[in-house]
Amino acid sequence: MELKRVVVTGLGAVTPLGNTIPEFWKNIQLGVSGAAPITRFDIDRVKTRVKFACEVRNFDITKFIDRKEARKIDLYAHFAIASAVEAIADSGIDREKENLDRIGVVHGVGMCGVSAFESGIEEMYVEKEQGQDLKVSPFFITGIISNMGAGYISIMNGFRGPSLVTSSACASGANAIIDAVNLIRIGKADVMVCGGSEAAISGSGVCGFSMMRALSTRNDSPETASRPMSGSRDGFVFGEGAGTMVLEEYEHAVARGARIYAEVAGWGMSSDAYHITAPEPEGNGAVSAMSLALQDACMKPEEVDYINMHGTSTPLGDIAECKAIKKVFGEHAYRMSLSSTKSMTGHLLGAAGAVEGIISVLSVFDDVVPPTINHADGDDDENIDYALDFTFNKARQKTVKVAMSNNFGFGGHNACIIFKKFQG
């Protein structure tokens, strides 16, 4: 069976750097940090060494759905819905002219409805202390389950094609895109709305990651805390948000005159099979994912112009990824551009693969390599090869014909997607 080509025709985002694609992409190119003291809840009531995060700000779900409907679902689903609304509008898809049985949704999430679960359990304990019968809100279940983002996007738009959720920690958004690509490739759908969402900046979320010692504790300078590839990095910065892409079968997109951002060239997935949180030290799982993506795209390593690294700013993860890139690309590794945009957005967990996939697509579309911010002269790590071009501190105009997006999650889940300039 000949596989169908897949192109990107719509983009949408809700992020710490802006709640629309234009605002987000502008701030990414400017090297703006989204990190600031936490305002979502009273952080002083939580036992944590971390007081800051990359929060989504100025977000109003009632611009997209009714307030009563919004109460039924968690914030992660709100972000998913809003990013999907923008992406679908951006794509120009006309539901009146489409076969809605051929449009589906795949939207990933890493931690489900953390805030909804937290508030529901807290309510139960209050009732217990007051001697009341224990109960939860009638919306407790719809708030905590992981498929509500995908479900609402499907329901709101009448999309009756395949609809599902992926959950593979920090690779969830990337895996959602890969699943959507495959459904189009094998002819099961003409259009897929796909991406990832996360909203776990809550007392239990921040406390949990802090107790694991996974987060940066640079409370005195939040905006500089995420510093991938720097010697002083001390953990990732917690982020939240959502990213959505509209993917289409090539001939379907051309037939309706769609604007095409890029083509999905290939993908690769692998498992570290090593540890539940730590990366395999030599980056061998990442090597496999990147190599498989190149194979799927029928590309040579030297064809890749830019890699949007997973680059979380953790002591072990950054080293392992750099080792993997050098193994896969050899001498070409020194000619490519690399960057970690988590230095600006923080780590969006289940949304990271989708948001960073969008950045990779826009890099190809606009010929821009975004920066890795927060690196200071002399702040080097002896285990990192600085002959590699990490695009420190300033974006660069450069022809980007091919961009690779890497995402690696707790549990050893590795996902890699390659986007290329569209040519008819």
Side-chain angles (χ1 to χ4, degrees):
M1 179 180 66
E2 183 177 355
L3 297 179
K4 297 179 181 295
R5 294 170 66 183
V6 181
V7 296
V8 182
T9 59
L11 302 173
V14 173
T15 78
L17 299 183
N19 299 332
T20 65
I21 287 291
E23 182 183 10
F24 168 65
W25 184 227
K26 175 185 177 181
N27 285 329
I28 284 288
Q29 293 178 79
L30 290 174
V32 175
S33 171
I38 289 172
T39 62
R40 181 70 46 74
F41 60 94
D42 184 358
I43 189 65
D44 292 330
R45 291 186 59 216
V46 179
K47 186 176 181 180
T48 172
R49 300 184 304 151
V50 181
K51 306 291 186 179
F52 64 96
C54 288
E55 294 178 315
V56 169
R57 302 179 190 278
N58 304 314
F59 177 78
D60 182 1
I61 186 57
T62 62
K63 293 179 180 178
F64 307 97
I65 59 175
D66 180 81
R67 189 178 301 277
K68 290 183 179 179
E69 282 296 302
R71 291 178 55 225
K72 300 177 183 178
I73 51 179
D74 187 74
L75 185 59
Y76 89 86
H78 294 178
F79 291 162
I81 290 166
S83 67
V85 167
E86 182 183 19
I88 293 165
D90 186 47
S91 74
I93 289 284
D94 185 347
R95 290 191 294 272
E96 298 298 320
K97 298 180 180 179
E98 295 291 335
N99 179 354
L100 301 184
D101 293 329
R102 301 281 299 171
I103 303 180
V105 181
V106 189
H107 228 271
V109 61
M111 295 180 65
C112 308
V114 177
S115 295
F117 188 84
E118 191 176 285
S119 60
I121 297 302
E122 184 176 5
E123 182 182 331
M124 287 182 67
Y125 275 100
V126 169
E127 290 162 349
K128 181 180 180 180
E129 291 174 0
Q130 294 176 348
Q132 301 176 29
D133 292 337
L134 303 185
K135 66 179 185 301
V136 293
S137 161
F139 308 131
F140 179 69
I141 298 300
T142 55
I144 68 172
I145 57 179
S146 61
N147 69 313
M148 283 296 105
Y152 260 82
I153 294 167
S154 174
I155 292 165
M156 287 173 61
N157 294 281
F159 297 153
R160 297 189 295 268
S163 179
L164 63 148
V165 63
T166 60
S167 188
S168 47
C170 311
S172 299
N175 283 142
I177 294 169
I178 290 169
D179 282 354
V181 168
N182 289 338
L183 286 164
I184 295 173
R185 276 182 164 186
I186 63 174
K188 298 296 184 181
D190 296 325
V191 180
M192 292 296 297
V193 179
C194 58
S197 180
E198 199 77 79
I201 299 177
S202 65
S204 59
V206 174
C207 182
F209 279 112
S210 176
M211 289 295 187
M212 292 176 68
R213 298 188 179 274
L215 300 178
S216 171
T217 58
R218 199 166 271 108
N219 294 305
D220 57 339
S221 182
E223 67 280 359
T224 70
S226 182
R227 46 182 73 181
M229 314 309 147
S230 293
S232 60
R233 67 192 185 281
D234 67 335
F236 71 81
V237 175
F238 211 162
E240 64 181 0
T244 299
M245 291 186 190
V246 174
L247 302 183
E248 286 189 58
E249 190 273 323
Y250 159 71
E251 292 183 357
H252 182 276
V254 171
R256 69 178 187 87
R259 185 254 344 272
I260 295 175
Y261 284 105
E263 182 170 355
V264 183
W267 60 267
M269 291 191 294
S270 69
S271 299
D272 280 354
Y274 174 75
H275 190 272
I276 58 171
T277 56
E280 196 281 320
E282 298 304 312
N284 290 320
V287 168
S288 178
M290 287 187 281
S291 298
L292 289 168
L294 288 167
Q295 179 182 327
D296 187 47
C298 298
M299 285 183 177
K300 298 176 181 178
E302 53 267 30
E303 293 181 71
V304 178
D305 300 299
Y306 166 58
I307 298 179
N308 187 289
M309 301 177 69
H310 185 58
T312 56
S313 188
T314 56
L316 298 179
D318 289 4
I319 293 171
E321 187 173 8
C322 288
K323 287 181 179 179
I325 288 170
K326 291 171 67 175
K327 287 179 182 179
V328 173
F329 291 93
E331 286 302 311
H332 183 63
Y334 299 96
R335 295 189 288 271
M336 294 188 300
S337 294
L338 313 172
S339 70
S340 170
T341 49
K342 288 185 180 71
S343 59
M344 296 172 277
T345 66
H347 193 347
L348 275 58
L349 308 182
V355 171
E356 290 160 20
I358 288 169
I359 292 170
S360 300
V361 166
L362 290 171
S363 179
V364 167
F365 190 67
D366 284 342
D367 287 321
V368 175
V369 175
T372 304
I373 67 168
N374 296 328
H375 183 76
D377 289 343
D379 186 12
D380 293 347
D381 180 337
E382 63 181 10
N383 297 299
I384 289 178
D385 185 350
Y386 291 96
L388 297 171
D389 177 12
F390 295 112
T391 322
F392 282 134
N393 298 321
K394 189 176 181 180
R396 184 180 309 140
Q397 290 291 142
K398 173 183 176 178
T399 299
V400 181
K401 295 181 180 179
V402 177
M404 174 182 283
S405 179
N406 284 342
N407 289 101
F408 314 131
F410 278 2
H413 305 287
N414 304 309
C416 175
I417 308 174
I418 298 176
F419 302 94
K420 68 180 182 181
K421 271 197 192 303
F422 171 69
Q423 295 179 330

